[in-house]
Amino acid sequence: MSKDNQILEELTKSDYKYGFHSDIETESAPKGLNEDIVRFISAKKEEPEWMLEWRLSAYRHWLTLKEPTWQNVTFPEINYQDIIFYAAPKQKISPKSLDEVDPELRATFEKLGISFDEQKRLTGVAVDAVLDSVSVATTFKSKLGELGIIFCSFSEAVREHPELVKKYIGSVVPVNDNYFSALNSAVFSDGSFCYIPKGVRCPMELSTYFRINAMNTGQFERTLIVAEEGSYVSYLEGCTAPMRDENQLHAAVVEIFAAKDAEVKYSTVQNWYPGSKEGKGGIYNFVTKRGLCSGDGSKISWTQVETGSAVTWKYPSCILKGDNSIGEFYSVAVTNNYQQADTGTKMIHIGKNTRSRIVSKGISAGKSQNSYRGQVKVMKRAEGARNYSQCDSLLLGDKCGAHTFPYIDVENPLAIVEHEATTSKIGEDQIFYCNQRGIATEDAVALIVNGFAKEVMNQLPMEFAVEAQKLLAISLEGSVG
Amino acid sequence: MLKIKNLKASVEGKMILNGINLEVKPGEVHAIMGPNGSGKSTLASVLAGREDYQIEGGEVEYIGKDLLDLSPEERAREGVFLAFQYPVEIPGVSTTNFLKAALNQVREHHGKPALDAVSFLKLMKEKMALVEIDQALLSRSLNEGFSGGEKKRNEIFQMAMLEPKLAILDETDSGLDIDALRIVANGVNKLKTRDNATILITHYQRLLDYIVPDFVHVLYKGRIIKSGDKSLALQLEEKGYDWIKEEADTVSA
């Protein structure tokens, strides 16, 4: 209960609340990117040779690629030689228990509303926190270990479970998949790894908290989730960053592998710093997220609430390879001021009787641009495939934009694909109705927007739902005059 | 409680209210009747503070305050309630959540703490009985897919929850069958106290069989042209508005 209160208290104040900067000594690589930097990162992580080779091949491939330009966003060119690709909080020996974590670091996480002690005691959420690219602490490890569940930092996984990492890394998002996934593969500094053995239902929500703290750093984390036959896991991801005038790059990769009858639910509340009201600074959030429903009857469900970042560009996707597998995508994307978002999903139906469902709710305010881009592809052998897509846009004011780019590509004549789209504005009569009952205009907007997004918010685990609701309200503060 | 003096208002440059004078005291029920386009709903909207209307003159005093100086939400928090002629749909927001937000903002305004979930539920149950409303309806998206009767009943339920000092019912009887009308009227009657007042805006005298007014006013061309007791409503029912219109037109000509 006190955790809820803390969240509520934190979130009922206005403006970007995670804009603090913690004075934690960091150890970082020199600016810029070349093979030596890749080697430096790999050496820092004390990685085996194969991991280094994998990174180098990714780097070499990246050099041959051009930054894509097809997305409906504009931003100044990124100078990759001006980014620090590795920054780690200085801490000599890796902590064995939470008590050994640097107190300043822990204070940072307490500010974020994740108190490890409380997490441990109350909520049953296991947390892996990533600060400036490095995983700091993983709670609940022993408890999960009893079930054979592995939940640890990526670096640790490379050390402790090389055979699993080797088998699955790049299996869903190959090194050469796209510009940013190649970049990530070369320089990723840490992230989370999660393995659920056959037949195990993970008894608690697993959670990763990402935060960029140091200046001029990019954050390139990697998440790999492997769910073996008949297993289940629900995974949460949250992100914040301090307020800075310059743009910072966040290019993560998330890979999910689901074996036969496995189910993975992945929820994100993305609240990276969106930039100032005038559009200065903010995070570039260029993320590749993909899940492979490899086995028959498997299911992957993405839920995202995107309120932060100056520019968001991501499409959590599902490859429905197994027969009767299911892919879901539930998204709320809010843009205000000068934020831009180009987000959506891809559902690739390969197996027979595969089903997918897309519910996207875009909310634009201020001078922002909000695009839904989604692809539904039904391959030839995907008999009986079904897709239902619903894209709703809500506009606040008359200086913002909402765009929908659906791509539908059906090669099997027996597939059923449905797409529905609506665009609406918050009506003055709705606001007046709320006002007349005593509700102030800003609260009325929050109420109406939360109602609009309800279908997606309902998909979030309880722990995140309250926070996400408040976030929506905060993101839109000052958007109605 | 409410003193309206020479109130004039226009919409899109067109004068609708041409000098309304009306005094409402605590405990009273006033019925405002009149033909279509006479300005009845405009009066209700202006009192509630809808922005589409331009005040062209006059003043409105409400419990010692300048009503026209208050924002719509401040008026609501001070106890002005408008039962809408056309209640607005808010998708994804249940009546329960809507009312919780409303009630707590009203309470905050009066320096009272927010109601906890248990007390709120208890209050809801109590008020639900008053207007014979079903809990299932209150969990659905506000007014979305409600029948005409359900919308109106829901308005009265909100009124019961918010316990206003001054309730303005804008054609709450329109579109109701006789059973719904009885339920709505019963609700209004049960909510009546010595300290609150009600303004009923209606076309038909039918509603006044159930809610007996202390005063009946006839609005025509933005003015109150005749006031009386409930017998005036019966007269109107019998003779229509024409005789009274003629009277008024002759006087002004």
Side-chain angles (χ1 to χ4, degrees):
Chain A
M1 205 54 220
S2 72
K3 186 188 158 229
D4 284 353
N5 288 339
Q6 195 180 348
I7 291 173
L8 285 171
E9 204 179 300
E10 286 268 346
L11 290 167
T12 37
K13 298 166 202 155
S14 64
D15 283 336
Y16 190 72
K17 252 145 320 300
Y18 304 102
F20 60 86
H21 163 80
S22 308
D23 277 323
I24 299 167
E25 264 195 273
T26 57
E27 185 179 27
S28 48
K31 274 185 184 177
L33 184 56
N34 52 49
E35 284 206 7
D36 286 343
I37 293 287
V38 177
R39 286 176 198 280
F40 172 88
I41 294 169
S42 188
K44 273 281 159 212
K45 315 246 81 177
E46 298 167 23
E47 287 176 352
E49 190 61 26
W50 65 266
M51 198 69 246
L52 174 63
E53 282 310 316
W54 195 79
R55 286 176 181 275
L56 286 172
S57 73
Y59 174 70
R60 287 172 197 140
H61 184 75
W62 180 72
L63 288 177
T64 68
L65 299 173
K66 281 210 164 61
E67 203 181 283
T69 51
W70 48 263
Q71 66 277 28
N72 187 29
V73 296
T74 53
F75 53 91
E77 206 177 331
I78 300 171
N79 181 358
Y80 291 91
Q81 298 309 330
D82 202 34
I83 294 174
I84 297 169
F85 284 85
Y86 179 80
K90 225 179 225 173
Q91 192 168 46
K92 288 178 194 81
I93 316 147
S94 58
K96 286 196 184 58
S97 78
L98 284 172
D99 304 332
E100 291 174 31
V101 173
D102 182 350
E104 184 76 16
L105 202 62
R106 291 187 57 189
T108 301
F109 286 114
E110 305 234 346
K111 273 190 221 170
L112 290 170
I114 4 173
S115 133
F116 287 115
D117 303 332
E118 222 169 43
Q119 293 276 358
K120 260 174 133 174
R121 225 170 350 102
L122 296 170
T123 56
V125 179
V127 175
D128 181 28
V130 178
L131 183 78
D132 285 343
S133 317
V134 172
S135 183
V136 193
T138 307
T139 56
F140 272 114
K141 195 178 289 180
S142 57
K143 201 172 164 191
L144 294 168
E146 286 165 25
L147 292 162
I149 294 170
I150 304 166
F151 179 45
C152 63
S153 74
F154 212 95
S155 314
E156 192 181 330
V158 171
R159 282 197 308 273
E160 310 286 330
H161 311 282
E163 68 298 336
L164 285 174
V165 175
K166 219 169 168 174
K167 183 173 173 191
Y168 291 105
I169 191 172
S171 68
V172 183
V173 180
V175 164
N176 57 5
D177 187 78
N178 67 66
Y179 188 82
F180 291 106
S181 70
L183 178 64
N184 174 288
S185 301
V187 302
F188 76 89
S189 21
D190 214 327
S192 297
F193 176 78
C194 168
Y195 177 84
I196 316 289
K198 187 172 166 179
V200 171
R201 214 184 144 80
C202 185
M204 59 184 83
E205 314 273 352
L206 300 183
S207 160
T208 305
Y209 219 97
F210 296 114
R211 175 159 176 89
I212 300 176
N213 196 47
M215 255 212 271
N216 293 324
T217 43
Q219 174 145 327
F220 306 93
E221 81 276 356
R222 238 188 135 87
T223 304
L224 175 58
I225 300 172
V226 177
E228 292 285 23
E229 188 176 329
S231 64
Y232 168 84
V233 64
S234 169
Y235 196 93
L236 318 177
E237 175 203 299
C239 347
T240 61
M243 292 198 250
R244 299 197 187 283
D245 283 348
E246 70 276 17
N247 296 104
Q248 284 179 289
L249 176 64
H250 171 247
V253 169
V254 176
E255 293 180 278
I256 301 176
F257 179 92
K260 185 170 180 285
D261 295 324
E263 182 178 347
V264 178
K265 189 173 161 60
Y266 194 103
S267 313
T268 306
V269 173
Q270 185 265 105
N271 184 28
W272 295 116
Y273 177 51
S276 71
K277 288 189 170 61
E278 293 75 38
K280 202 165 165 40
I283 303 291
Y284 292 156
N285 186 37
F286 303 156
V287 175
T288 307
K289 289 183 170 179
R290 193 175 304 153
L292 173 63
C293 283
S294 175
D296 293 352
S298 53
K299 178 176 175 183
I300 292 176
S301 180
W302 299 99
T303 304
Q304 60 173 27
V305 175
E306 303 279 323
T307 60
S309 298
V311 182
T312 293
W313 181 31
K314 68 177 229 186
Y315 315 93
S317 307
C318 298
I319 300 171
L320 305 170
K321 190 173 154 226
D323 291 347
N324 304 309
S325 59
I326 300 171
E328 290 177 336
F329 174 74
Y330 297 95
S331 168
V332 175
V334 181
T335 52
N336 196 2
N337 301 318
Y338 286 88
Q339 282 178 278
Q340 305 175 67
D342 191 314
T343 182
T345 184
K346 283 188 205 173
M347 293 290 174
I348 314 292
H349 293 255
I350 301 171
K352 290 190 178 68
N353 300 316
T354 44
R355 278 177 289 153
S356 63
R357 182 179 168 82
I358 299 170
V359 178
S360 163
K361 305 272 182 178
I363 299 154
S364 342
K367 293 179 174 142
S368 68
Q369 296 295 328
N370 200 328
S371 303
Y372 166 81
R373 188 185 302 274
Q375 183 184 30
V376 176
K377 191 174 170 71
V378 179
M379 309 285 252
K380 214 168 207 154
R381 93 171 189 86
E383 239 164 70
R386 287 205 62 151
N387 159 266
Y388 172 74
S389 304
Q390 184 191 334
C391 303
D392 298 324
S393 306
L394 187 68
L395 298 167
L396 281 79
D398 52 9
K399 293 185 179 65
C400 52
H403 317 266
T404 306
F405 303 97
Y407 303 85
I408 298 172
D409 185 1
V410 181
E411 287 171 26
N412 186 300
L414 297 174
I416 300 172
V417 175
E418 289 173 82
H419 182 96
E420 282 181 29
T422 65
T423 303
S424 51
K425 281 182 83 161
I426 288 191
E428 274 171 28
D429 54 345
Q430 284 177 321
I431 304 244
F432 178 67
Y433 191 68
C434 294
N435 287 160
Q436 212 302 306
R437 298 300 185 250
I439 303 170
T441 299
E442 220 147 65
D443 298 301
V445 170
L447 197 70
I448 294 165
V449 164
N450 269 305
F452 171 76
K454 192 179 168 202
E455 214 180 328
V456 174
M457 304 297 257
N458 281 348
Q459 297 293 327
L460 285 175
M462 273 304 287
E463 288 84 348
F464 264 23
V466 178
E467 181 172 9
Q469 272 189 22
K470 289 280 165 187
L471 261 182
L472 282 195
I474 289 165
S475 310
L476 291 168
E477 261 176 24
S479 59
V480 174
Chain B
M1 171 183 280
L2 181 75
K3 280 186 198 145
I4 305 176
K5 283 184 205 150
N6 200 27
L7 180 64
K8 294 177 182 173
S10 68
V11 64
E12 289 165 7
K14 195 179 163 216
M15 288 301 292
I16 309 284
L17 300 183
N18 293 305
I20 301 268
N21 291 292
L22 180 67
E23 185 172 353
V24 179
K25 296 199 176 83
E28 292 178 349
V29 175
H30 290 246
I32 295 180
M33 303 182 72
N36 280 330
S38 57
K40 300 191 298 289
S41 285
T42 299
L43 177 61
S45 294
V46 167
L47 291 178
R50 199 188 269 275
E51 272 180 19
D52 312 345
Y53 297 89
Q54 188 69 36
I55 307 296
E56 303 286 355
E59 50 193 78
V60 181
E61 189 193 308
Y62 167 70
I63 53 167
K65 295 179 162 73
D66 179 359
L67 186 75
L68 302 178
D69 198 37
L70 301 178
S71 69
E73 60 268 33
E74 285 166 339
R75 298 180 197 195
R77 292 169 193 168
E78 288 291 343
V80 176
F81 181 91
L82 172 65
F84 283 60
Q85 185 178 3
Y86 304 107
V88 180
E89 293 181 3
I90 305 186
V93 178
S94 66
T95 303
T96 308
N97 271 331
F98 178 72
L99 274 176
K100 208 166 127 201
L103 190 66
N104 282 336
Q105 292 212 3
V106 172
R107 288 178 66 92
E108 195 187 328
H109 179 76
H110 294 286
K112 292 185 199 161
L115 274 190
D116 61 73
V118 177
S119 321
F120 182 80
L121 197 69
K122 198 173 154 236
L123 183 68
M124 255 189 33
K125 297 244 181 209
E126 189 187 305
K127 304 295 185 180
M128 273 160 53
L130 270 184
V131 288
E132 301 176 42
I133 202 164
D134 191 41
Q135 191 156 12
L137 192 73
L138 304 180
S139 308
R140 282 169 47 188
S141 287
L142 185 57
N143 292 321
E144 203 182 35
F146 284 24
S147 72
E150 285 171 336
K151 282 184 185 171
K152 297 296 170 73
R153 216 185 290 181
N154 189 275
E155 292 291 292
I156 303 304
F157 173 68
Q158 293 182 34
M159 175 176 146
M161 287 292 286
L162 295 170
E163 299 177 333
K165 289 195 184 77
L166 175 67
I168 305 161
L169 276 56
D170 189 4
E171 307 229 358
T172 298
D173 52 335
S174 68
L176 291 188
D177 62 38
I178 205 77
D179 289 331
L181 184 72
R182 184 186 49 76
I183 291 168
V184 164
N186 274 346
V188 173
N189 286 332
K190 283 184 205 157
L191 293 170
K192 221 170 90 174
T193 69
R194 262 190 302 171
D195 302 317
N196 62 22
T198 310
I199 297 176
L200 299 170
I201 289 173
T202 181
H203 253 332
Y204 305 106
Q205 112 79 22
R206 191 178 67 158
L207 178 68
L208 308 181
D209 287 341
Y210 296 92
I211 309 171
V212 181
D214 300 303
F215 301 94
V216 174
H217 311 277
V218 178
L219 197 61
Y220 178 58
K221 290 189 176 170
R223 278 196 190 91
I224 290 175
I225 52 168
K226 202 170 183 69
S227 296
D229 60 13
K230 63 176 180 177
S231 64
L232 176 58
L234 292 169
Q235 246 181 307
L236 290 169
E237 175 82 354
E238 198 185 315
K239 302 203 281 192
Y241 286 109
D242 285 346
W243 62 279
I244 218 166
K245 278 196 217 166
E246 272 162 34
E247 241 180 65
D249 289 335
T250 329
V251 172
S252 61

